Each structure stands twice: as structure tokens, then as C-alpha cells.
Amino acid sequence: MAEIDLDELIENLLQCRRCGICRNAVYEERGFDGVCPVWKNSPGFETSFMRGRIQVALALLEGVLEKTPENSEALFSCTLCGNCTEICAAEFNPADCLEEVRAVLNDIPNDVRDAIAEKIIQFDNPYEKNRSLKREWIKEVGFEIPTSGEVLYFTGCTAGMKLPTVVISAARILKAANIEFAVLEEEPCCGSVMLRTGKTDEARLNAQRVVSAIQKSGAKKVIVTCAGCLKTLREDFPKLGLEIPEVLHITEILQETAACKKLKLKPVTKRLKVTYHDPCHLSRAMGVYDAPREVIMSIPNIEFVEMETSRETAMCCGAGGGLRSYDPELAKKIAADRVMSAHEVGAEIIATACPFCESNLRLGAEQINSSIRVADIVDLIAERLM
Amino acid sequence: MAIDKKIAKEFENAVGAEYVSTRPDVLLTYSQTASMAVEPVIPSAVIRPANAKEVSQILKLANKHRIPVTPRSGGSSLQGEAIPKPGGIVVDLLRLGGITLYENLRSVTVGAGVTYGELDKFLAKHGLFLPVYPESSLVCTVAGNVAVNGAGVGSSLYGCTGEMVLGLEVVLPDGTIIQTGSEANPNSPGPFIRYAFGPDLTGLFIGSLGSFGIITKVSVKTFKRMKYFDYNMYGFDTVELAEQFLIEIKQNDINGLFTSIYSGEVLDLFMDMLSEELGFPPFEHAERTVSMTIGRVREDMLESDAKLAREICERLGGRVLNVREMPQQEWEGRFWNFVRASYIHGWHWRTLYHHQTPTNSHKSVDIIMDAMDKYRFLGHTAGFQSGHSSMNLYPHLYFDPQDKDEEEKVVKAHQEIAKALFKSGAVPFKLAEFWKDAIEDMDEYMDFLKHIKNSIDPNNIMNPGVLGGI
Ligand SMILES: Cc1cc2nc3c(=O)[nH]c(=O)nc-3n(C[C@H](O)[C@H](O)[C@H](O)COP(=O)(O)OP(=O)(O)OC[C@H]3O[C@@H](n4cnc5c(N)ncnc54)[C@H](O)[C@@H]3O)c2cc1C
Ligand code: SF4
Ligand code: SF4
């Protein structure tokens, strides 16, 4: 993120006309069936969607509201999913502005935010003290993976440490597609959550370390399986003035291989109804909509169905923007709501392309005792490799 | 200041603690609406009831404690109608959902929290529509639009929102729940006629700005969704000819679903702002240009209407422009394009919606343009037919939100414009506070209105002052 110009930020925030369309617009022609997942799944006061968040932001910036953790809740109870930006008719980007406000007001105490940043700084990941756990999965893949090479698989902390099946599946698919790849010996966290929650200085330092590690590996291309890593490396790093090789989400790579039928996939035995949840950082943020769908549809015998909201207007899973740590219950509720949408279209599997979405959707499914299977696309593909 | 804790507790008992807030950040966000250049007022509490019963309990408590109440739905009103009163509470009605269709009665009942977007999606599945779409349809509720007696796309044929209403469920200031229209009869199969059981009590609440009670359900007419449209523009060298065209369209029962009239300067402004984004081709417009969408449920009817419209235009000496993109975008993009047009330029604005007769509508344009010249503002005004023989004018006066002097100037200009408009014969369809100093020689009318307000709401708790200062 480039330096924030406060005057410009306020000017942008004042572009909000308080119309309220970003609350729950139903606009069938463009696919909106509601807008803000937080408003929908919370008691629904004005502070729970973008119109109120902006008013709170302005009041905090202008000193009308005291800068307390309680008063700044509206800044953080947001997944930064960008659905409000998608519908807003005014000349500014509300979700991006809110992210900037978090950075400008990062002197307001927020224990959750600070604790995550602290962990990343100390342990190179937001989860575990033992950073070597991020490479534990390699023991299970059954083949050697070098630590340097032209193609680097940047695994990300969530998949590497919490959902190793995703990393294993990705590794197997890359191998099956004859793509030689490396995984860093010590992979730092991409720092997405620091950027989203306003810890810009820390994120900048962290990003420099990431870039230097990638450079040292000799990578000319970086592959990721996490939507958060994708946005951070592909979009935010250049904004921080850092140079990074081409970054691709694995579905973008598979789109080609699937189209060329380079990967031989076993058909599913019985017809299976699969839907796809668009991770906000892959879809609205980076514009990757078709690749994951094409990959899913390349599995023989799969019936692909869309949920009521999808693509540009998809409702968020509730995990992003730091919300999962800031308000886990709310994040889970939003996920449960998304899982319900999958049920409504009769899906047996809700596939996604981001481990962070996957783990939150799982929690959501548990909350409503849903038997739906939540799976990463790479898992679905890896299971069908011949 | 937040409400007394004991009273807050009583409200919590009525609706559940999680739906009452006295937090400073929450109160701040209810101090304003989409109304610009209006002083915010921080309420003392915000309450989000789920149904009419809870609304009733809230109003009983508010009455007991003499607390002013501001009903609020979408919060999209533009003339300060939902700004709270000092010490007052805001009752946010968005939790009151529910849509019930009475297909054979050609009607539908919606809860006060239902927006036009939501209803339209529902009705489209049945091949139906509620054919009056405020330009804020994605945010505003049907009940909120009834409370302001709004109008919008579709009004050119069907009239204002009020014309669509068959009955209301209303919680009166003392907490009594009443039903108006045919549904007042508990044995009624549903909403099928508004004028029942004596005087039109439904009408009392249309345009009442929440000052007579809280509407909890609205029953409205539905119509078969039109499938056939003719989009065209018609240019006239004089204002008079264009206005005559508007009259003849009506006199010949041509189904102008949305019929707008633009002066040359305003059309230039819109084209500059929007033509690229919305794909309008360049075209030569005239002193006054009419943009019309004719809609019909049958193709033969459409062809006949479209042919006659062209003939009338040519007979009057106008030019059929054969440009369809603009009216098509007005109709098909009705949910979003008007909002976009209102925000794309980056200015904030204030408006003074009103109605004029077709032959008077140029007076509104002249008044607004004069004020813009005098005060050196940017802005625009345009209008659309809004019923039997009326035009809805929507002037926008632009100002820079960071320039307090300019904002004050707009407010002052507004007061002058309101007076001039009133003198020119204009009628505000909602008697919002913006108009209160402009109304002259209507003392008896205003006294009668006060009398009604006093008898329904003797403690004057319901949105006091909002209805023309009452
Ligand atoms: C971009 C934009 C375009 C607009 N275009 C149009 C347009 O084309 N036509 C038009 O008519 N308006 C238009 N408006 C204005 C606004 O949308 C309307 O006034 C709308 O009807 C307000 O509805 P709401 O649900 O937002 O009500 P609110 O703004 O919440 O309230 C409006 C008024 O109604 C009262 N009220 C609300 N709900 C109830 C209830 N259930 N019972 C009793 N009183 C109640 C409130 O106290 C207040 O006085 C526009 C606004 C915007 C921002
Ligand atoms: S953020 Fe955009 S959509 Fe939301 S209230 Fe502001 S202007 Fe309207
Ligand atoms: S970014 Fe998403 S969660 Fe945040 S206010 Fe916008 S729509 Fe709501």
C-alpha cells in the first residue's frame, strides 16, 4: 500500500451519499440478492454495513467520536469482501477506503489485530510457534520437492499448517501436470491479514522479507492456492513498490491443463452436484471467475450448479478482512448462511479455491449440522487423478 | 445523550436486548440519512422491532415517557424526513419482512422492511410487477415510499406510489394496531379495494412522513409485467410544443410508462456524464427533448401507441429522433442508472421534489436555473410525467461537501426556490420540513392538519415537526 494521503482519503469517504444501497439491495438483473453479509447476519444496526462504517470512520478521523476500541468496532466488523464496492454508484471504492482507514487509525487499541501481527512477526505465520510445521506435509506427498527453482509454489500459512490436504493435493496435481516446482525452505507469511487490518508498517517489512525469499529461490513464476496470498502478492506488493515475479492462482494454471485435457481425471461414479463459492480475494479482487469453474467442470460426471449469488455479486464466507479473528461467532454465522445457499440449490459439495474460505465454511456447516462436503477444488481434482 | 437506562430496559423487554442500542457509534449512524446539508441529530436510542406487536409496545412506551419517535426504514429520504429529534428514539423497521401474494386479487402485501428490489424479484417470478419504481428502489422500502408518497419510473402511466395502495396496517401513536382498506374486514380474503368503510383512512397515512403512526404492512396493486416496449426520443424547438406533446400523449391514452422531459443544457450535462458509460450515441437534441418508454402487455397495442406518438410529434412540428438508447437505459436500468447519474459527478446535492402541470413545468426549470445563476451553483432539473396530468420535477443543486459556505448557500437558495415554486403553482407531494416556510395562504388547511395530528397523537410523539412543521 502506498503512503495514505489523509486529505484524499477523507475526500473519498465524503463521496459516500449515505444512500444505503450497500445494505441489502436485491437487484436481480445484476445478480445481487443482498449485499452485506455482516448486516444480514448480525442484529443489523447501521454500523454493520458500509454506510454506517463510513460515518463512523469520518467521525473517528474528525475527532467527533472518541477513538476507543468500542467506537471503532464498525471498522473491524467487516470482511472487506467488496460487495458494497460492487454495487456502490458513487465515485470511490468504499471497501478499499475502509482498509485505509484501519491503517490511518491503527493507534486505536485492538488486541486481536495486534496479537496476529505479533505472531506473524515472531513465527512467520499467524498460527503456530513451530514454523517448521509448515513443511510437515512434504513428508506425505511421496516425492522430493526442491527449495529453489523457476516455479515456486507459495503454500501460504492456512493451507500449510491447517489444511495440509490442500497443499498435498496441489503438489500432486502439479506433478501430474508435469510442472516442476519448488517450495521455500522457510516460507514467510504473505502478511495479508496485516495489510487488511491496518498494520501497514509491519506488513511492509514482512513483504520485503517475502520478496527477498522468493528472489533467492530463483523463481520466475509463483503459484498459490490461497486467494489471500494471491491478492497480496499480485496486487499489494507492487503497490508497496516491490517487484515480484508473475503470481498465478493454481486454478489459473489448471484452467489451461484442464482445457487441454492434460490431466487425466477419473469420472465420479455417481452424478454429483457441485457448487462453487467465489473467494472474494480471488473473484471480486482479482477478477478470476471462470478458471475455477472450468476446472470443476472438467471432472467427468459432475453437475455444476450456481448458488443464488455468484461471481461478482457472491456473498462472502465471512472469514476475510480479519473478521474471523475479530468476531469468530459472526464469521461462523456468515459461513453458515453461505452453506445454506449451497443447500438451497441442492449441492452435495461446496467447492472453493481458498483454504481460508474452506475452513470457515466448514465451521459454518458444522454450526447448522450440515452434511454438505466443503472442499477445495484441488482436493476434488487430486482425488480424480488417474 | 443516550436514553435513561431504566427506559432502555423497558424497550429491551419489548424487543429483546440485542435489538436496542444506545452505543455512541450506533446512535451517530442514525443521526443522518441520505439527506444532504441537513444538520444531524443524535437520537437517544435505536430500536429494531420485528413485528407490529413489538412496534405497538414501543409506541406505548414512547407515549408513556413522552419520547419523540422517528420511524425509519431505508434511511434514503432526501428532505430530512427521517432525521431524529433531540432526545428521541429511532424505530428502524427493516426487520418487518414478509411478502404475501394474492394473485387473483391482483395485489400483494409486504412488511414495512421490504424494499422495491426484493418485491420486484418476487413478483417477476409470477410475471407481475408493482409498476412504480422510485429511483432508490434498491434501498427504499415500499412502506417508506408510501410514507413520503413518492413517485418514480412507471409513474408516468400509473401515478404516484399512493395510487398503488389498497390498504395499510398501521400502529397508531397510542399503540393501537389498525388495518385500513378491504382488509379492515377480518373476514376479507385479502386486499382488493381501498375505499371501504367510509372515508379514505389509508390516504391519511400516505405522505404522512411517519407523523401519524407507523406503517407495518402495505397492500398494493400488482399488474401484469409488460413485455413489449418502444423506446424513442422526440425533439421540439419550443417549450410549449414539448409540453403540448406531453398533454396529447395523455389525452390519447398512449402508454408512456416513463416519459421524461429535458432542457437542452440538462441533456448536454447528462450526455457528458453518462454517454460513454451507458452507451448513448451522440445525437442532436432540441430546446426540449422528450424521452419516452411506451410499455404494453401486447405487441399490437404497442405498435399502435408508438405509431400515434410519432404522428403527434410530427404533427406538432417536432422531430422523432429515433434514438432508443437513452429511454431504454432509463427503463431497463431503472434500479441503478439514476443513482449513478446522481453520484457520478462527485458533487453533493439537495433536492426539492415537487409536481407541476405539464404546461407549468418549464416554470420550475426557469426558477431553478435562475437560482443557479444567482448563486453560481451547478446543478440541474428535469421532470417526468407522474400521473393523470402532473409532472414530477427533481431539481438537484450541487455543492462541495467540504465547503461549508457553499452548503449554507444551497440551503438558503433552497428556501427561496421553495417559495418561488409554490407561487408558480407547484405542489410538494410530501410536506417535508423543507417546504414549511414556503407555504402561504393555506392556514385553514394547515390548521386542519394540525387538528388531525393533535387528535391522533395528542402528545406529539410521532416525528414532530416533520410534516410542514407540525
Ligand atoms: C439516489 C436516490 C434517488 C431517489 N429517488 C427517488 C425517487 O425517484 N422517488 C422517490 O419518491 N424518492 C426518491 N428518493 C428518496 C427516498 O428514496 C424516498 O423518500 C423513499 O421513499 C424513502 O424510503 P425509505 O424506506 O428509505 O424511508 P426513510 O428514509 O427511512 O423514511 C422516509 C420517511 O418515511 C417515514 N417512514 C419510514 N418508514 C415508515 C413506516 N414504516 N411507517 C411510517 N413512516 C415511515 C420516516 O419517518 C420518514 O419521514 C431517492 C433517494 C435517493 C438516495
Ligand atoms: S458506500 Fe456507496 S452504496 Fe453505500 S451508502 Fe455510501 S454511496 Fe451508497
Ligand atoms: S466489504 Fe463486505 S462485509 Fe464489509 S461492509 Fe462491504 S459488503 Fe459488508
Side-chain angles (χ1 to χ4, degrees):
Chain A
M1 195 184 284
E3 287 303 322
I4 297 167
D5 177 336
L6 185 58
D7 291 340
E8 196 183 318
L9 175 60
I10 291 182
E11 213 174 285
N12 278 327
L13 291 169
L14 286 171
Q15 279 302 310
C16 171
R17 312 307 168 79
R18 304 191 294 266
C19 69
I21 287 177
C22 52
R23 180 188 62 226
N24 64 337
V26 176
Y27 184 8
E28 197 173 14
E29 212 180 314
R30 278 186 53 194
F32 286 98
D33 190 48
V35 178
C36 183
V38 174
W39 182 83
K40 188 175 175 204
N41 292 286
S42 65
F45 289 101
E46 281 279 319
T47 39
S48 64
F49 70 102
M50 195 47 92
R51 173 167 68 179
R53 298 187 200 291
I54 290 175
Q55 283 175 261
V56 169
L58 282 166
L60 290 167
L61 289 167
E62 288 162 358
V64 175
L65 259 186
E66 205 188 331
K67 291 184 191 171
T68 63
E70 294 73 32
N71 285 345
S72 62
E73 210 177 282
L75 308 184
F76 291 98
S77 64
C78 162
T79 65
L80 297 178
C81 73
N83 216 15
C84 47
T85 299
E86 194 66 34
I87 201 155
C88 178
E91 285 287 285
F92 79 125
N93 181 319
D96 282 0
C97 281
L98 193 77
E99 191 174 303
E100 289 191 5
V101 172
R102 290 177 176 187
V104 170
L105 293 175
N106 67 10
D107 55 330
I108 302 179
N110 178 331
D111 294 344
V112 176
R113 172 199 61 198
D114 295 349
I116 301 175
E118 196 52 40
K119 272 196 188 158
I120 295 174
I121 293 164
Q122 276 193 12
F123 315 124
D124 271 341
N125 74 79
Y127 302 117
E128 308 282 349
K129 277 190 186 153
N130 180 358
R131 68 191 76 201
S132 68
L133 288 177
K134 222 191 228 182
R135 282 177 65 89
E136 279 287 293
W137 61 274
I138 292 185
K139 292 177 195 152
E140 282 181 54
V141 271
F143 53 87
E144 293 289 310
I145 299 176
T147 54
S148 63
E150 293 207 346
V151 177
L152 179 75
Y153 172 28
F154 189 91
T155 61
C157 307
T158 306
M161 304 187 107
K162 297 281 169 191
L163 285 170
T165 57
V166 171
V167 209
I168 295 167
S169 296
R172 287 191 178 142
I173 294 168
L174 291 174
K175 175 128 176 104
N178 284 325
I179 299 171
E180 286 185 18
F181 66 96
V183 170
L184 291 176
E185 178 69 41
E186 283 202 357
E187 183 189 280
C189 170
C190 74
S192 170
V193 68
M194 289 171 163
L195 281 169
R196 307 300 151 235
T197 57
K199 300 294 271 186
T200 326
D201 292 342
E202 294 81 349
R204 193 184 299 272
L205 285 176
N206 181 72
Q208 282 159 357
R209 293 188 51 233
V210 177
V211 169
S212 127
I214 291 175
Q215 272 165 358
K216 272 192 208 135
S217 76
K220 298 213 167 75
K221 189 186 272 185
V222 179
I223 298 175
V224 295
T225 36
C226 170
C229 294
L230 181 76
K231 176 177 153 64
T232 306
L233 300 184
R234 194 195 272 181
E235 191 183 68
D236 296 312
F237 280 20
K239 282 192 196 158
L240 291 169
L242 299 169
E243 267 185 52
I244 180 154
E246 184 188 19
V247 185
L248 290 165
H249 190 267
I250 192 160
T251 55
E252 293 175 290
I253 302 225
L254 291 181
Q255 185 179 26
E256 247 173 67
T257 47
C260 308
K261 306 254 181 290
K262 274 195 210 154
L263 285 178
K264 296 254 176 305
L265 301 180
K266 293 178 278 191
V268 282
T269 40
K270 96 176 188 346
R271 206 154 167 76
L272 201 59
K273 231 181 186 183
V274 181
T275 191
Y276 172 65
H277 165 77
D278 288 275
C280 306
H281 282 163
L282 182 63
S283 54
R284 270 189 291 268
M286 303 313 307
V288 180
Y289 297 105
D290 293 330
R293 290 176 164 79
E294 284 174 24
V295 176
I296 295 174
M297 285 189 251
S298 73
I299 303 175
N301 224 2
I302 269 194
E303 183 187 346
F304 182 74
V305 278
E306 291 284 10
M307 286 183 267
E308 182 70 29
T309 64
S310 64
R311 303 179 70 97
E312 288 86 351
T313 60
M315 289 300 261
C316 162
C317 77
L323 187 74
R324 205 170 101 178
S325 308
Y326 186 72
D327 190 342
E329 281 312 307
L330 176 58
K332 238 190 279 178
K333 222 170 151 199
I334 294 173
D337 192 34
R338 191 65 178 147
V339 171
M340 280 307 296
S341 304
H343 274 289
E344 277 159 22
V345 293
E348 294 150 274
I349 297 180
I350 176 166
T352 188
C354 173
F356 212 52
C357 297
E358 181 185 340
S359 60
N360 204 46
L361 288 169
R362 285 217 178 126
L363 294 174
E366 267 171 34
Q367 197 177 49
I368 52 171
N369 294 322
S370 160
S371 58
I372 202 162
R373 177 173 172 210
V374 181
D376 195 294
I377 291 180
V378 290
D379 289 334
L380 296 183
I381 297 288
E383 284 165 12
R384 314 257 41 100
L385 287 173
M386 295 225 187
Chain B
M1 211 176 65
I3 204 163
D4 179 273
K5 283 205 172 99
K6 267 198 221 139
I7 301 177
K9 189 89 201 132
E10 291 183 55
F11 285 120
E12 285 177 12
N13 291 340
V15 301
E18 71 174 315
Y19 294 111
V20 178
S21 183
T22 56
R23 290 173 55 134
D25 55 335
V26 172
L27 299 185
L28 176 110
T29 57
Y30 284 85
S31 66
Q32 308 201 54
T33 59
S35 302
M36 292 294 166
V38 174
E39 274 307 304
V41 177
I42 306 264
S44 61
V46 180
I47 307 169
R48 305 194 74 235
N51 51 48
K53 257 196 187 150
E54 291 184 3
V55 172
S56 162
Q57 281 172 278
I58 294 168
L59 293 192
K60 279 180 188 156
L61 287 169
N63 235 317
K64 181 174 116 186
H65 299 291
R66 306 281 197 272
I67 302 168
V69 177
T70 300
R72 169 172 170 137
S73 308
S76 69
S77 43
L78 297 168
Q79 303 191 26
E81 303 95 315
I83 304 293
K85 305 297 161 231
I89 55 169
V90 173
V91 181
D92 172 335
L93 295 153
L94 290 171
R95 289 180 66 216
L96 278 76
I99 303 178
T100 311
L101 180 65
Y102 301 88
E103 213 155 354
N104 290 341
L105 304 182
R106 305 177 65 220
S107 62
V108 67
T109 300
V110 297
V114 174
T115 63
Y116 281 85
E118 220 179 321
L119 178 61
D120 196 57
K121 181 171 179 176
F122 173 88
L123 290 177
K125 288 198 179 84
H126 300 270
L128 300 169
F129 66 175
L130 168 63
V132 176
Y133 296 88
E135 292 164 6
S136 48
S137 284
L138 294 179
V139 57
C140 88
T141 60
V142 179
N145 205 250
V146 169
V148 303
N149 186 27
V153 182
S155 286
S156 303
L157 184 61
Y158 292 93
C160 294
T161 295
E163 309 277 12
M164 298 291 104
V165 183
L166 288 169
L168 299 170
E169 181 188 78
V170 182
V171 182
L172 298 176
D174 68 357
T176 310
I177 304 173
I178 62 154
Q179 174 67 54
T180 69
S182 52
E183 293 160 286
N185 176 349
N187 308 304
S188 153
F192 62 96
I193 186 162
R194 165 159 152 196
Y195 303 98
F197 301 109
D200 177 25
L201 290 188
T202 307
L204 192 58
F205 299 95
I206 295 175
S208 66
L209 302 176
S211 62
F212 291 158
I214 291 185
I215 300 165
T216 44
K217 273 187 196 154
V218 182
S219 296
V220 281
K221 300 172 189 171
T222 61
F223 294 83
K224 193 174 164 103
R225 210 172 176 91
M226 288 171 179
K227 278 203 201 131
Y228 299 99
F229 303 99
D230 178 85
Y231 305 105
N232 216 331
M233 296 184 85
Y234 311 82
F236 299 91
D237 291 337
T238 67
V239 167
E240 291 73 21
L241 286 176
E243 290 177 350
Q244 186 58 31
F245 178 69
L246 295 176
I247 291 170
E248 293 199 24
I249 289 295
K250 279 281 174 195
Q251 282 173 337
N252 286 282
D253 274 342
I254 290 172
N255 258 23
L257 194 52
F258 193 56
T259 314
S260 303
I261 182 166
Y262 298 100
S263 66
E265 300 98 305
V266 169
L267 207 48
D268 278 341
L269 180 77
F270 283 164
M271 294 306 275
D272 272 357
M273 291 191 302
L274 290 161
S275 53
E276 205 176 309
E277 195 168 302
L278 298 181
F280 298 157
F283 65 93
E284 218 175 291
H285 52 74
E287 171 64 24
R288 282 290 192 277
T289 304
V290 173
S291 167
M292 180 160 65
T293 296
I294 303 173
R296 284 286 189 183
V297 291
R298 289 206 306 273
E299 204 168 3
D300 55 337
M301 295 162 102
L302 180 76
E303 278 165 15
S304 154
D305 275 5
K307 184 164 166 278
L308 187 55
R310 288 194 296 271
E311 282 169 11
I312 293 172
C313 171
E314 280 163 357
R315 178 169 47 73
L316 289 171
R319 278 175 296 132
V320 179
L321 300 180
N322 290 321
V323 174
R324 56 185 274 129
E325 288 79 359
M326 188 164 165
Q328 187 169 9
Q329 285 287 355
E330 285 175 335
W331 174 251
E332 289 181 356
R334 60 195 178 278
F335 281 94
W336 203 76
N337 289 346
F338 294 100
V339 187
R340 180 72 182 132
S342 303
Y343 296 164
I344 189 172
H345 45 70
W347 301 95
H348 281 206
W349 44 266
R350 251 185 161 223
T351 191
L352 265 178
Y353 290 125
H354 62 277
H355 293 295
Q356 283 279 18
T357 64
T359 44
N360 250 355
S361 64
H362 66 275
K363 290 188 185 167
S364 289
V365 177
D366 295 345
I367 290 166
I368 311 300
M369 293 297 181
D370 285 352
M372 275 162 44
D373 275 351
K374 179 175 163 192
Y375 287 95
R376 298 186 186 285
F377 298 133
L378 290 174
H380 69 76
T381 188
F384 57 87
Q385 282 193 312
S386 54
H388 198 63
S389 53
S390 61
M391 299 287 301
N392 177 308
L393 278 293
Y394 52 100
H396 288 190
L397 293 183
Y398 299 167
F399 64 94
D400 175 349
Q402 287 180 295
D403 183 341
K404 278 285 155 207
D405 291 342
E406 202 174 36
E407 186 175 320
E408 275 168 30
K409 257 202 306 185
V410 165
V411 174
K412 189 160 172 272
H414 238 192
Q415 288 160 353
E416 270 179 45
I417 293 171
K419 282 186 184 153
L421 288 173
F422 182 79
K423 287 218 159 71
S424 77
V427 298
F429 45 96
K430 50 185 140 186
L431 192 44
E433 244 179 315
F434 280 24
W435 290 93
K436 74 169 194 284
D437 297 324
I439 289 168
E440 282 174 20
D441 301 328
M442 281 182 52
D443 295 348
E444 290 81 4
Y445 180 93
M446 291 307 288
D447 283 348
F448 182 55
L449 208 55
K450 269 184 213 157
H451 197 70
I452 295 172
K453 168 82 169 151
N454 282 344
S455 42
I456 301 178
D457 183 16
N459 295 324
N460 200 14
I461 59 160
M462 294 306 304
N463 222 356
V466 74
L467 194 67
I470 297 177

